[in-house]
Amino acid sequence: MYFLSGPSCLLLQVHFGRWLIEGSPYVILFDISSAAWNLDRWKGDLWDTCQIGLPYHDREANDSLILGSLIAWFFKELTDHLGDKPNVISHFHEWQAGPGLILSRSRNIPMATVFTTHATLLGRYLCAGNVDFYNNLDK
């Protein structure tokens, strides 16, 4: 399935279906390789929004930004379509989903957010640095 949207005509591949677990919840999967051509623009957006830069050759960071940009785009389209009462909750799990949370919050997308991190490098650095992470998500 391909979507074409917005003034920049974002063309990407998205799959929609059911997750093969108990309860069979709906799932949307973004093919990040189909949107990788936007990486330089999205790096600029991330820098302009919150002065966060990504190393040129860091594939994991680049893939995380592509996914996060797609997620923020998706939630913006969804909440715009739902109008005054979007009632949307998004769960961002681990650092790979972090850019989606940052971009969604910086764009004031009207939805509740949940961010989960574990005893990974991010979690360890936040604990060791005594960072007031949850009270500073909007920054």
Side-chain angles (χ1 to χ4, degrees), residues 59-109:
R59 183 167 181 178
E60 287 183 332
N62 290 337
D63 287 351
S64 178
L65 178 59
I66 294 168
L67 176 63
S69 297
L70 292 173
I71 290 168
W73 165 80
F74 171 79
F75 280 121
K76 174 73 171 121
E77 293 289 323
L78 177 66
T79 56
D80 284 353
H81 179 73
L82 294 173
D84 293 337
K85 298 181 182 179
N87 296 320
V88 175
I89 300 172
S90 57
H91 180 198
F92 296 90
H93 184 85
E94 273 304 337
W95 70 269
Q96 296 93 338
L101 174 61
I102 292 167
L103 294 169
S104 295
R105 294 295 297 248
S106 69
R107 295 174 184 167
N108 298 314
I109 297 174

Short mmCIF file of all heavy atoms in Angstrom, two decimals, residues 59-109:
data_model
loop_
_atom_site.label_atom_id
_atom_site.label_comp_id
_atom_site.label_asym_id
_atom_site.label_seq_id
_atom_site.Cartn_x
_atom_site.Cartn_y
_atom_site.Cartn_z
N ARG A 59 23.79 4.36 10.88
CA ARG A 59 22.59 3.78 10.28
C ARG A 59 21.45 3.63 11.28
O ARG A 59 20.28 3.89 10.94
CB ARG A 59 22.92 2.43 9.65
CG ARG A 59 21.70 1.85 8.96
CD ARG A 59 22.02 0.72 8.08
NE ARG A 59 20.78 0.28 7.46
CZ ARG A 59 20.70 -0.67 6.60
NH1 ARG A 59 21.77 -1.29 6.20
NH2 ARG A 59 19.54 -1.02 6.08
N GLU A 60 21.76 3.20 12.51
CA GLU A 60 20.70 3.03 13.51
C GLU A 60 20.03 4.37 13.82
O GLU A 60 18.80 4.46 13.91
CB GLU A 60 21.24 2.40 14.78
CG GLU A 60 21.55 0.93 14.62
CD GLU A 60 22.02 0.31 15.92
OE1 GLU A 60 22.61 1.02 16.77
OE2 GLU A 60 21.80 -0.90 16.08
N ALA A 61 20.81 5.41 14.00
CA ALA A 61 20.25 6.73 14.28
C ALA A 61 19.45 7.24 13.08
O ALA A 61 18.37 7.81 13.24
CB ALA A 61 21.36 7.71 14.65
N ASN A 62 19.98 7.04 11.89
CA ASN A 62 19.27 7.47 10.69
C ASN A 62 17.94 6.74 10.53
O ASN A 62 16.91 7.34 10.23
CB ASN A 62 20.14 7.27 9.44
CG ASN A 62 21.31 8.22 9.39
OD1 ASN A 62 21.30 9.29 10.00
ND2 ASN A 62 22.34 7.83 8.67
N ASP A 63 17.95 5.42 10.72
CA ASP A 63 16.71 4.64 10.63
C ASP A 63 15.71 5.07 11.69
O ASP A 63 14.51 5.14 11.44
CB ASP A 63 17.00 3.14 10.77
CG ASP A 63 17.67 2.54 9.54
OD1 ASP A 63 17.78 3.23 8.50
OD2 ASP A 63 18.09 1.37 9.62
N SER A 64 16.21 5.38 12.87
CA SER A 64 15.34 5.85 13.96
C SER A 64 14.69 7.18 13.59
O SER A 64 13.50 7.39 13.86
CB SER A 64 16.16 5.98 15.24
OG SER A 64 15.39 6.48 16.28
N LEU A 65 15.45 8.06 12.96
CA LEU A 65 14.88 9.35 12.55
C LEU A 65 13.85 9.16 11.43
O LEU A 65 12.81 9.82 11.44
CB LEU A 65 15.99 10.30 12.09
CG LEU A 65 15.49 11.66 11.60
CD1 LEU A 65 14.69 12.39 12.69
CD2 LEU A 65 16.65 12.51 11.11
N ILE A 66 14.13 8.28 10.49
CA ILE A 66 13.15 8.02 9.42
C ILE A 66 11.86 7.50 10.03
O ILE A 66 10.77 8.00 9.73
CB ILE A 66 13.72 7.03 8.38
CG1 ILE A 66 14.90 7.64 7.64
CG2 ILE A 66 12.62 6.62 7.39
CD1 ILE A 66 15.70 6.64 6.81
N LEU A 67 11.96 6.50 10.90
CA LEU A 67 10.77 5.95 11.54
C LEU A 67 10.05 7.02 12.35
O LEU A 67 8.83 7.17 12.26
CB LEU A 67 11.13 4.77 12.44
CG LEU A 67 9.96 4.17 13.23
CD1 LEU A 67 8.91 3.59 12.29
CD2 LEU A 67 10.47 3.11 14.20
N GLY A 68 10.79 7.78 13.14
CA GLY A 68 10.18 8.83 13.96
C GLY A 68 9.47 9.88 13.13
O GLY A 68 8.40 10.36 13.49
N SER A 69 10.06 10.26 12.02
CA SER A 69 9.44 11.25 11.13
C SER A 69 8.16 10.70 10.53
O SER A 69 7.16 11.42 10.42
CB SER A 69 10.42 11.66 10.04
OG SER A 69 11.55 12.28 10.61
N LEU A 70 8.17 9.43 10.15
CA LEU A 70 6.96 8.80 9.61
C LEU A 70 5.87 8.70 10.67
O LEU A 70 4.70 8.94 10.38
CB LEU A 70 7.29 7.42 9.05
CG LEU A 70 8.16 7.39 7.79
CD1 LEU A 70 8.55 5.96 7.45
CD2 LEU A 70 7.46 8.06 6.63
N ILE A 71 6.26 8.36 11.88
CA ILE A 71 5.28 8.26 12.97
C ILE A 71 4.66 9.62 13.26
O ILE A 71 3.44 9.74 13.40
CB ILE A 71 5.95 7.67 14.23
CG1 ILE A 71 6.27 6.19 14.01
CG2 ILE A 71 5.07 7.85 15.46
CD1 ILE A 71 7.18 5.59 15.07
N ALA A 72 5.49 10.66 13.34
CA ALA A 72 4.96 12.01 13.60
C ALA A 72 4.04 12.43 12.46
O ALA A 72 2.98 13.02 12.70
CB ALA A 72 6.11 13.00 13.78
N TRP A 73 4.43 12.16 11.23
CA TRP A 73 3.57 12.48 10.08
C TRP A 73 2.23 11.74 10.19
O TRP A 73 1.17 12.33 10.01
CB TRP A 73 4.28 12.10 8.78
CG TRP A 73 3.37 12.05 7.60
CD1 TRP A 73 2.90 13.11 6.88
CD2 TRP A 73 2.76 10.88 7.06
NE1 TRP A 73 2.05 12.66 5.90
CE2 TRP A 73 1.95 11.29 5.98
CE3 TRP A 73 2.85 9.52 7.36
CZ2 TRP A 73 1.23 10.40 5.22
CZ3 TRP A 73 2.12 8.63 6.59
CH2 TRP A 73 1.32 9.07 5.54
N PHE A 74 2.30 10.44 10.50
CA PHE A 74 1.09 9.64 10.60
C PHE A 74 0.14 10.18 11.68
O PHE A 74 -1.05 10.37 11.43
CB PHE A 74 1.44 8.18 10.92
CG PHE A 74 0.24 7.34 11.25
CD1 PHE A 74 -0.58 6.86 10.26
CD2 PHE A 74 -0.07 7.06 12.57
CE1 PHE A 74 -1.70 6.10 10.55
CE2 PHE A 74 -1.18 6.30 12.89
CZ PHE A 74 -2.00 5.82 11.88
N PHE A 75 0.68 10.47 12.87
CA PHE A 75 -0.18 10.96 13.94
C PHE A 75 -0.73 12.35 13.64
O PHE A 75 -1.84 12.68 14.05
CB PHE A 75 0.54 10.92 15.29
CG PHE A 75 0.55 9.55 15.91
CD1 PHE A 75 1.74 8.91 16.21
CD2 PHE A 75 -0.63 8.89 16.19
CE1 PHE A 75 1.74 7.65 16.77
CE2 PHE A 75 -0.64 7.62 16.75
CZ PHE A 75 0.56 7.00 17.04
N LYS A 76 0.02 13.17 12.94
CA LYS A 76 -0.50 14.48 12.54
C LYS A 76 -1.67 14.31 11.58
O LYS A 76 -2.73 14.92 11.75
CB LYS A 76 0.62 15.29 11.89
CG LYS A 76 0.17 16.61 11.31
CD LYS A 76 -0.12 17.61 12.40
CE LYS A 76 -0.36 18.98 11.79
NZ LYS A 76 -1.67 19.52 12.10
N GLU A 77 -1.52 13.44 10.58
CA GLU A 77 -2.60 13.18 9.64
C GLU A 77 -3.82 12.59 10.36
O GLU A 77 -4.96 12.99 10.11
CB GLU A 77 -2.14 12.22 8.54
CG GLU A 77 -1.10 12.78 7.61
CD GLU A 77 -1.64 13.84 6.68
OE1 GLU A 77 -2.80 13.72 6.22
OE2 GLU A 77 -0.91 14.81 6.42
N LEU A 78 -3.57 11.64 11.26
CA LEU A 78 -4.66 10.99 11.99
C LEU A 78 -5.43 11.98 12.85
O LEU A 78 -6.66 12.04 12.79
CB LEU A 78 -4.11 9.85 12.86
CG LEU A 78 -5.14 9.12 13.72
CD1 LEU A 78 -6.14 8.36 12.86
CD2 LEU A 78 -4.43 8.18 14.69
N THR A 79 -4.71 12.76 13.65
CA THR A 79 -5.40 13.69 14.55
C THR A 79 -6.08 14.82 13.78
O THR A 79 -7.14 15.28 14.19
CB THR A 79 -4.45 14.26 15.62
OG1 THR A 79 -3.33 14.88 14.98
CG2 THR A 79 -3.97 13.15 16.56
N ASP A 80 -5.51 15.25 12.67
CA ASP A 80 -6.19 16.24 11.83
C ASP A 80 -7.50 15.67 11.30
O ASP A 80 -8.52 16.36 11.26
CB ASP A 80 -5.32 16.67 10.65
CG ASP A 80 -4.21 17.62 11.04
OD1 ASP A 80 -4.19 18.08 12.21
OD2 ASP A 80 -3.35 17.90 10.18
N HIS A 81 -7.48 14.42 10.90
CA HIS A 81 -8.67 13.76 10.35
C HIS A 81 -9.75 13.57 11.42
O HIS A 81 -10.94 13.67 11.13
CB HIS A 81 -8.29 12.42 9.74
CG HIS A 81 -9.45 11.67 9.17
ND1 HIS A 81 -10.06 12.03 7.99
CD2 HIS A 81 -10.12 10.58 9.62
CE1 HIS A 81 -11.06 11.20 7.75
NE2 HIS A 81 -11.11 10.31 8.72
N LEU A 82 -9.33 13.32 12.67
CA LEU A 82 -10.29 13.06 13.74
C LEU A 82 -10.92 14.34 14.29
O LEU A 82 -11.91 14.26 15.03
CB LEU A 82 -9.62 12.28 14.87
CG LEU A 82 -9.18 10.87 14.51
CD1 LEU A 82 -8.38 10.25 15.65
CD2 LEU A 82 -10.37 10.00 14.15
N GLY A 83 -10.37 15.48 13.98
CA GLY A 83 -10.98 16.74 14.39
C GLY A 83 -10.75 17.11 15.84
O GLY A 83 -9.69 16.90 16.40
N ASP A 84 -11.82 17.64 16.47
CA ASP A 84 -11.72 18.21 17.81
C ASP A 84 -11.49 17.20 18.93
O ASP A 84 -11.01 17.56 19.99
CB ASP A 84 -12.99 19.00 18.14
CG ASP A 84 -13.13 20.24 17.28
OD1 ASP A 84 -12.10 20.72 16.77
OD2 ASP A 84 -14.26 20.73 17.13
N LYS A 85 -11.85 15.96 18.74
CA LYS A 85 -11.72 14.96 19.79
C LYS A 85 -10.93 13.75 19.30
O LYS A 85 -11.48 12.69 19.06
CB LYS A 85 -13.10 14.52 20.27
CG LYS A 85 -13.90 15.66 20.87
CD LYS A 85 -15.24 15.20 21.35
CE LYS A 85 -16.01 16.39 21.90
NZ LYS A 85 -17.33 16.03 22.36
N PRO A 86 -9.60 13.92 19.17
CA PRO A 86 -8.83 12.82 18.59
C PRO A 86 -8.73 11.58 19.47
O PRO A 86 -8.74 10.48 18.96
CB PRO A 86 -7.45 13.43 18.36
CG PRO A 86 -7.39 14.61 19.25
CD PRO A 86 -8.79 15.09 19.45
N ASN A 87 -8.66 11.73 20.81
CA ASN A 87 -8.55 10.58 21.72
C ASN A 87 -7.53 9.56 21.25
O ASN A 87 -7.83 8.39 21.06
CB ASN A 87 -9.91 9.90 21.91
CG ASN A 87 -10.89 10.82 22.59
OD1 ASN A 87 -10.53 11.55 23.51
ND2 ASN A 87 -12.13 10.81 22.15
N VAL A 88 -6.31 10.01 21.07
CA VAL A 88 -5.23 9.16 20.58
C VAL A 88 -4.18 9.01 21.67
O VAL A 88 -3.80 9.99 22.32
CB VAL A 88 -4.58 9.76 19.31
CG1 VAL A 88 -3.38 8.96 18.87
CG2 VAL A 88 -5.61 9.86 18.19
N ILE A 89 -3.73 7.79 21.87
CA ILE A 89 -2.62 7.50 22.78
C ILE A 89 -1.54 6.82 21.95
O ILE A 89 -1.82 5.85 21.24
CB ILE A 89 -3.04 6.57 23.93
CG1 ILE A 89 -4.15 7.21 24.75
CG2 ILE A 89 -1.84 6.23 24.80
CD1 ILE A 89 -4.76 6.27 25.78
N SER A 90 -0.33 7.31 22.05
CA SER A 90 0.78 6.70 21.33
C SER A 90 1.81 6.20 22.34
O SER A 90 2.10 6.86 23.33
CB SER A 90 1.41 7.69 20.36
OG SER A 90 1.84 8.84 21.07
N HIS A 91 2.34 5.02 22.06
CA HIS A 91 3.35 4.43 22.93
C HIS A 91 4.66 4.37 22.16
O HIS A 91 4.76 3.71 21.13
CB HIS A 91 2.93 3.03 23.36
CG HIS A 91 3.93 2.37 24.24
ND1 HIS A 91 3.94 1.02 24.44
CD2 HIS A 91 4.95 2.86 24.99
CE1 HIS A 91 4.94 0.71 25.26
NE2 HIS A 91 5.55 1.81 25.60
N PHE A 92 5.66 5.07 22.66
CA PHE A 92 6.99 5.09 22.06
C PHE A 92 7.88 4.21 22.92
O PHE A 92 8.10 4.49 24.09
CB PHE A 92 7.53 6.52 22.00
CG PHE A 92 6.69 7.40 21.11
CD1 PHE A 92 5.61 8.11 21.64
CD2 PHE A 92 6.98 7.52 19.77
CE1 PHE A 92 4.85 8.92 20.83
CE2 PHE A 92 6.21 8.34 18.95
CZ PHE A 92 5.14 9.04 19.48
N HIS A 93 8.39 3.16 22.32
CA HIS A 93 9.14 2.17 23.08
C HIS A 93 10.62 2.22 22.71
O HIS A 93 10.99 1.97 21.57
CB HIS A 93 8.59 0.76 22.79
CG HIS A 93 9.23 -0.31 23.59
ND1 HIS A 93 8.80 -0.63 24.86
CD2 HIS A 93 10.29 -1.11 23.34
CE1 HIS A 93 9.56 -1.60 25.33
NE2 HIS A 93 10.47 -1.90 24.43
N GLU A 94 11.43 2.58 23.68
CA GLU A 94 12.88 2.60 23.58
C GLU A 94 13.39 3.73 22.70
O GLU A 94 12.64 4.46 22.08
CB GLU A 94 13.43 1.26 23.10
CG GLU A 94 13.68 0.28 24.21
CD GLU A 94 14.61 0.79 25.32
OE1 GLU A 94 15.42 1.70 25.11
OE2 GLU A 94 14.49 0.26 26.42
N TRP A 95 14.68 3.86 22.64
CA TRP A 95 15.32 4.99 21.98
C TRP A 95 15.02 5.03 20.49
O TRP A 95 14.98 6.10 19.88
CB TRP A 95 16.83 4.97 22.22
CG TRP A 95 17.55 3.85 21.52
CD1 TRP A 95 17.81 2.61 22.03
CD2 TRP A 95 18.09 3.88 20.21
NE1 TRP A 95 18.48 1.86 21.11
CE2 TRP A 95 18.67 2.61 19.97
CE3 TRP A 95 18.15 4.84 19.20
CZ2 TRP A 95 19.30 2.28 18.79
CZ3 TRP A 95 18.77 4.50 18.01
CH2 TRP A 95 19.34 3.25 17.82
N GLN A 96 14.77 3.87 19.87
CA GLN A 96 14.51 3.85 18.44
C GLN A 96 13.25 4.64 18.08
O GLN A 96 13.11 5.12 16.97
CB GLN A 96 14.39 2.42 17.91
CG GLN A 96 15.65 1.61 18.03
CD GLN A 96 15.72 0.80 19.32
OE1 GLN A 96 15.07 1.09 20.31
NE2 GLN A 96 16.55 -0.24 19.32
N ALA A 97 12.33 4.76 19.01
CA ALA A 97 11.09 5.50 18.77
C ALA A 97 11.18 6.93 19.31
O ALA A 97 10.25 7.70 19.13
CB ALA A 97 9.91 4.78 19.42
N GLY A 98 12.29 7.28 19.93
CA GLY A 98 12.46 8.60 20.53
C GLY A 98 12.23 9.77 19.58
O GLY A 98 11.55 10.73 19.93
N PRO A 99 12.78 9.73 18.37
CA PRO A 99 12.53 10.86 17.45
C PRO A 99 11.05 11.08 17.15
O PRO A 99 10.61 12.21 17.00
CB PRO A 99 13.30 10.48 16.18
CG PRO A 99 14.43 9.64 16.70
CD PRO A 99 13.80 8.83 17.82
N GLY A 100 10.27 10.00 17.09
CA GLY A 100 8.83 10.14 16.87
C GLY A 100 8.17 10.90 18.00
O GLY A 100 7.30 11.74 17.79
N LEU A 101 8.58 10.62 19.23
CA LEU A 101 8.06 11.33 20.39
C LEU A 101 8.48 12.80 20.36
O LEU A 101 7.66 13.70 20.53
CB LEU A 101 8.53 10.67 21.68
CG LEU A 101 8.19 11.38 22.98
CD1 LEU A 101 6.69 11.50 23.17
CD2 LEU A 101 8.83 10.67 24.16
N ILE A 102 9.75 13.04 20.12
CA ILE A 102 10.27 14.41 20.09
C ILE A 102 9.55 15.24 19.02
O ILE A 102 9.09 16.35 19.28
CB ILE A 102 11.79 14.41 19.82
CG1 ILE A 102 12.54 13.81 21.02
CG2 ILE A 102 12.30 15.81 19.52
CD1 ILE A 102 13.99 13.46 20.73
N LEU A 103 9.44 14.68 17.82
CA LEU A 103 8.80 15.42 16.73
C LEU A 103 7.31 15.60 16.97
O LEU A 103 6.75 16.67 16.66
CB LEU A 103 9.06 14.70 15.40
CG LEU A 103 10.52 14.69 14.96
CD1 LEU A 103 10.73 13.74 13.80
CD2 LEU A 103 11.01 16.09 14.62
N SER A 104 6.65 14.61 17.52
CA SER A 104 5.22 14.72 17.81
C SER A 104 4.96 15.81 18.85
O SER A 104 4.03 16.61 18.70
CB SER A 104 4.65 13.39 18.31
OG SER A 104 4.72 12.42 17.29
N ARG A 105 5.77 15.83 19.89
CA ARG A 105 5.60 16.84 20.94
C ARG A 105 5.94 18.23 20.43
O ARG A 105 5.25 19.20 20.72
CB ARG A 105 6.46 16.50 22.15
CG ARG A 105 6.05 15.24 22.89
CD ARG A 105 4.68 15.36 23.52
NE ARG A 105 4.64 16.39 24.52
CZ ARG A 105 4.50 16.21 25.81
NH1 ARG A 105 4.34 14.99 26.27
NH2 ARG A 105 4.49 17.23 26.64
N SER A 106 7.02 18.35 19.64
CA SER A 106 7.42 19.67 19.15
C SER A 106 6.41 20.24 18.16
O SER A 106 6.31 21.44 18.00
CB SER A 106 8.81 19.61 18.52
OG SER A 106 8.78 18.86 17.32
N ARG A 107 5.64 19.37 17.51
CA ARG A 107 4.62 19.81 16.55
C ARG A 107 3.25 19.95 17.21
O ARG A 107 2.25 20.19 16.53
CB ARG A 107 4.56 18.83 15.39
CG ARG A 107 5.84 18.84 14.58
CD ARG A 107 5.87 17.79 13.52
NE ARG A 107 7.17 17.82 12.86
CZ ARG A 107 7.61 16.87 12.07
NH1 ARG A 107 6.86 15.82 11.80
NH2 ARG A 107 8.81 16.96 11.52
N ASN A 108 3.22 19.78 18.52
CA ASN A 108 1.98 19.93 19.29
C ASN A 108 0.84 19.07 18.77
O ASN A 108 -0.31 19.51 18.69
CB ASN A 108 1.54 21.40 19.34
CG ASN A 108 2.56 22.26 20.03
OD1 ASN A 108 3.06 21.92 21.10
ND2 ASN A 108 2.89 23.38 19.42
N ILE A 109 1.15 17.84 18.43
CA ILE A 109 0.12 16.91 17.97
C ILE A 109 -0.74 16.54 19.18
O ILE A 109 -0.21 16.13 20.22
CB ILE A 109 0.75 15.67 17.31
CG1 ILE A 109 1.54 16.11 16.07
CG2 ILE A 109 -0.31 14.64 16.95
CD1 ILE A 109 2.33 15.01 15.39
#
